Amino acid sequence: MNEEGLVEKGFLDIEIDSSIDFVKEINKLKKEKNAVILGHYYQTGEIQDISDIVGDSLALSQAAAKTTADMIVFAGVHFMAETAKILSPDKKVLLPDLNAGCSLADSCDPVEFKKFKDKHPGYTVISYVNTSAEIKALTDIICTSTNAKAIVDSLPANEKIIFAPDKNLGNYINSVTGRNMLLWDGACHVHEKFSLEKILALKKENTEAKIIAHPECEKPVLMVAEHVGSTASLLKFTQSDGAKKYIVATESGIIHQMQKASPKKLFIPAPPNDSTCACNDCEFMKLNTLKKLYICMKYEKPEITLSDELIRKAEKPIRRMLEISERLGL
Ligand code: 13P
Ligand code: SF4
């Protein structure tokens, strides 16, 4: 079977000419096809460097809604590419590897979530963007870790709220807003693997280092963190803060941007419980490679497709998030 036939069948790691300069070819394809590459901070450094826009979930959703490109190549995971398709349904949206899922999105099954929602009538549903399009269609307002607090604060104090699917982010937002949102019991396997004990031991050896953490981490880690925020917020903090060393409790890809922005500072990945695994890497995010990016742009596959009905239902809560974020200058 030829290259295109193999790609058609979903074989992305096919053998191709080893002399291909992926960076050069990807840049050529970008121009030829009027494509934009949106890269998340958790991608490998080389993918971040070839992306047109590198950002957190909110920035990339905003970029997907605004782009004038004909083709959006999402260097991220499935729910991100799906969100881009919902916001730009007339554009071709590609994801280099359709297996790039998300354990957090998978922790919220639409059938079970619908039952949970039906058991609690009168509740407003806020869902994290890390969800499938089906969950978004059951949601009133989407949020990301950058705007979650602002979205919750935008609702009246007595509003009854269901927050899904991340219980750690939900607990954190409850603690900073004084709300008592009803939480779905979901979590991200990467952010739940950090070891508080090892982080504290590392801090003891590096007393001058500041612990910074993503709100998807568990409460004990968040309690010892000197700054808690989305990937964009953590990056910004390391740029404006005076410390020279940081213990970073989130996926390790963000360290690429931190190091680029502050080359004289030291960034130590927070240690996971299991020292034998590459637990600071999200294996879904890291499924994307330059080679897959090249193949995907060349053959325009795999493509994200969604029914018009699902797009219509899922778009509303995402647009509400974008409107509130714009109003608040986020
Ligand atoms: P942010 O991009 O909002 O920081 O979230 C990180 C994440 O979990 C992406 O999978
Ligand atoms: Fe999902 Fe966690 Fe990977 Fe982000 S880091 S894509 S939340 S599994």
Side-chain angles (χ1 to χ4, degrees):
M1 198 180 289
N2 65 9
E3 256 180 47
E4 187 164 8
L6 286 165
V7 174
E8 182 79 61
K9 291 208 169 305
F11 295 104
L12 299 163
D13 244 338
I14 52 175
E15 270 189 37
I16 52 171
D17 180 356
S18 59
S19 65
I20 293 175
D21 178 341
F22 292 128
V23 173
K24 198 171 134 205
E25 292 304 318
I26 289 170
N27 281 324
K28 221 158 93 184
L29 287 166
K30 258 202 266 187
K31 276 201 197 114
E32 268 171 40
K33 305 198 177 203
N34 188 25
V36 65
I37 302 179
L38 306 182
H40 191 267
Y41 287 134
Y42 293 164
Q43 292 294 290
T44 60
E46 54 186 14
I47 292 187
Q48 291 186 39
D49 290 344
I50 205 165
S51 296
D52 297 289
I53 297 168
V54 186
D56 70 349
S57 309
L58 178 62
L60 297 180
S61 305
Q62 288 166 329
K66 276 193 210 135
T67 183
T68 55
D70 296 317
M71 182 189 282
I72 299 173
V73 186
F74 220 111
V77 291
H78 193 270
F79 75 80
M80 296 179 172
E82 215 174 48
T83 304
K85 182 68 186 175
I86 293 164
L87 290 168
S88 283
D90 299 334
K91 300 193 190 298
K92 187 169 262 191
V93 178
L94 306 173
L95 181 68
D97 190 329
L98 280 184
N99 295 315
C102 168
S103 61
L104 177 53
D106 288 347
S107 68
C108 196
D109 172 69
V111 175
E112 293 307 312
F113 188 68
K114 172 85 170 58
K115 282 189 208 158
F116 180 73
K117 191 182 155 178
D118 289 346
K119 258 202 235 160
H120 300 96
Y123 277 70
T124 295
V125 178
I126 301 182
S127 296
Y128 196 26
V129 71
N130 300 37
T131 44
S132 63
E134 287 77 9
I135 296 292
K136 289 184 173 78
L138 294 167
T139 294
D140 296 300
I141 320 176
I142 292 296
C143 72
T144 72
S145 48
T146 284
N147 60 24
K149 181 179 179 298
I151 300 270
V152 171
D153 281 340
S154 75
L155 297 177
N158 60 352
E159 188 107 1
K160 293 191 286 182
I161 303 172
I162 288 175
F163 187 89
D166 190 7
K167 63 179 175 194
N168 294 315
L169 175 64
N171 264 319
Y172 174 70
I173 298 298
N174 271 342
S175 75
V176 293
T177 60
R179 304 259 181 165
N180 188 22
M181 301 186 295
L182 209 51
L183 308 181
W184 180 261
D185 188 16
C188 157
H189 74 297
V190 178
H191 288 87
E192 284 210 323
K193 282 206 180 112
F194 296 114
S195 157
L196 176 66
E197 220 183 321
K198 290 183 186 170
I199 290 175
L200 291 177
L202 198 60
K203 171 83 177 167
K204 223 171 167 182
E205 287 165 25
N206 300 274
T207 46
E208 73 282 30
K210 283 192 179 165
I211 301 169
I212 57 174
H214 195 282
E216 286 174 26
C217 294
E218 290 176 302
K219 191 174 176 183
V221 171
L222 298 182
M223 283 178 73
V224 300
E226 279 142 286
H227 180 73
V228 175
S230 63
T231 45
S233 164
L234 297 179
L235 173 61
K236 215 164 141 195
F237 179 76
T238 60
Q239 288 172 266
S240 59
D241 180 66
K244 297 270 181 286
K245 250 190 204 184
Y246 300 88
I247 297 169
V248 184
T250 190
E251 214 269 358
S252 59
I254 185 68
I255 293 179
H256 180 68
Q257 291 300 327
M258 290 176 173
Q259 202 68 76
K260 266 175 96 168
S262 308
K264 292 197 176 130
K265 295 189 177 187
L266 184 70
F267 300 97
I268 313 169
N273 280 307
D274 178 356
S275 51
T276 62
C277 71
C279 304
N280 300 46
D281 280 341
C282 169
E283 68 271 39
F284 302 115
M285 285 280 181
K286 296 316 199 256
L287 277 177
N288 296 324
T289 60
L290 278 186
K291 178 177 154 188
K292 287 185 199 168
L293 201 56
Y294 162 71
I295 293 172
C296 140
M297 291 178 77
K298 182 172 173 191
Y299 294 110
E300 305 186 12
K301 285 182 182 74
E303 187 183 352
I304 302 289
T305 55
L306 293 167
S307 72
D308 292 345
E309 169 83 355
L310 190 52
I311 289 180
R312 192 180 54 75
K313 287 186 181 157
E315 186 186 356
K316 233 166 117 180
I318 308 175
R319 291 275 172 209
R320 272 187 85 180
M321 167 186 83
L322 293 177
E323 279 157 27
I324 296 170
S325 301
E326 193 172 342
R327 187 158 23 92
L328 298 173
L330 295 169

